[in-house]
Amino acid sequence: MYRGSYPWDGSLTMGRYISRVIVSTEPRSSGRGGPENYRGTPDRRSSGSRGPENYLMSPERRFSRWRGLENYGLTCCVNALLQSFIATPELKFLLNRWDSSSVREDALNNVPVHLKGVLGAIRDPSCRAPHKDFLRCLDRQHIQLNVQHDADEVFLAVLNFIHQQMDDKALALEIQSLYRLSVELHHQCVECSSNQSLPGPSYLLSLPLHIRHQNNTLKDCLASFFELQELSGIDNCFCDQCKTRTPFKHGHRILSLPTILCVQLQRFCYSDSGWMYKLNCSVEFQESLDFQDICSQDVFSKDFQKNESTKYSLFAVIVHSGFAMFGHYTAFVRSTTGSSWFYADDNHVGPVSWEAVRDTYGGDSRTAYMLLYRREPTQTQGGGEGEEQEGERQEGERQEGEKLDGEKQGGEERGGEKQEGEPEREKPEVEKLEGERREWEKQEREKPEGEKLERENQGGYKQVGEKQEGEILEGEKQAGEILEGEKLESEKLREKQGG
């Protein structure tokens, strides 16, 4: 059995299992070597770049939809994962913020550099093989071509390469935060019921779910994962309260939920004799998921943000067809601009219905293996009590502001005049001062250039009317004095002439 080839960082994952990398007899080409290599859509319709619906399309129009990826030697696993990355615009947005030109040394072996190139060139019709350099880069990093790999392990390996090889560590942490489910290990003594939580949170980049040898539902698998399990016998733990080793119940409590929830259905297990086999039993899942409906309130840690959204919607399904020792990977992806689904089988892509996605529940060798959900934004209507109070406060402030604006606008239009038929009311002192200020501003705008009001010692202003009235009286006084003087001069002149 092949072991330990991936550069795992122990601080990034939890509860990982043996790598399942097995040389397969799957044909390197996209031929029809068996039912798992059938290159049609699930309902056996022709599709892809060579299908009749795409034959007359221009390359620009054909690549504006989902684009197929050529198989270059058992690369169906990576092709299916790339389709899920393409359906995650949050990942592309963060990678585009990274200045990859700063990576000068060993750029050929830098996985995030080539992943950014794939996501940028996937819609470019002039690029015939946008993922070829990415595959070669993975091959140099021990995720080899012509070897069958496990989709979950390649997914985690890519995220670990992003953490290790990006020089912008803050941005690399943001990328991992997209998929990070933060949990804390919780222990409870069976004898005294005392609770203990291990210091420091751990996190999962994918959520491994055990399934039973019968029909399952995703909700039951999630509830079972977070259910407390009892440790007894030789697994007893030391209790600080009881001062002895006692049976314990332990499990995970949720600290925070990720933006992208990756769920791995553990269909591969080992028999008592050591042989690996695949569980094809049914696991029913839905397009929507709500942790509040699945888990009890005890599953959420006391540090969990109550206003954090717990609702998710499905946008990608990684499918495994075949057996434990031999198989083929394909992907269902949902359009980022609508609710339509597409089926990607290497270089063949075609539209499908939700019923085709449901056919991967199980029962035969073609089963869903990885489910990717996107968290829905928090809505005020469906939020907690704090969100409702915040919404009511903002609504009250908005209505109060509209009321004040309406009163102000109405006061300016009326200009302080009394409305017809409305009795005159005494205005408060503040409103009087406000009215005088507005009247002064109006008169100030209408005054000739250069004319100003004089400030009195009491800090007020003289009214414009008083000043104008004083100027008029002063002018009349001067005119009267002039007339009086002229009258006296004329009387003296007449007396002189008469004498």
Side-chain angles (χ1 to χ4, degrees), residues 408-459:
K408 181 178 178 181
Q409 183 178 2
E412 291 177 352
E413 291 177 353
R414 290 192 298 270
E417 296 180 357
K418 180 179 62 177
Q419 293 185 358
E420 183 179 358
E422 181 180 357
E424 185 175 0
R425 292 175 296 181
E426 183 178 357
K427 295 182 179 180
E429 187 65 24
V430 176
E431 294 184 5
K432 290 182 180 180
L433 294 175
E434 181 68 17
E436 292 176 358
R437 184 184 65 81
R438 292 177 179 173
E439 183 66 22
W440 173 80
E441 292 176 350
K442 180 179 179 182
Q443 294 175 358
E444 187 76 5
R445 290 192 298 267
E446 295 175 354
K447 286 192 309 182
E449 185 69 23
E451 184 178 357
K452 298 182 180 179
L453 294 176
E454 300 175 0
R455 183 183 294 273
E456 293 181 336
N457 294 333
Q458 293 84 358

Side-chain angles (χ1 to χ4, degrees), residues 235-247:
D235 296 326
N236 285 351
C237 302
F238 183 82
C239 178
D240 295 335
Q241 299 290 336
C242 301
K243 304 300 181 182
T244 185
R245 295 174 65 89
T246 60

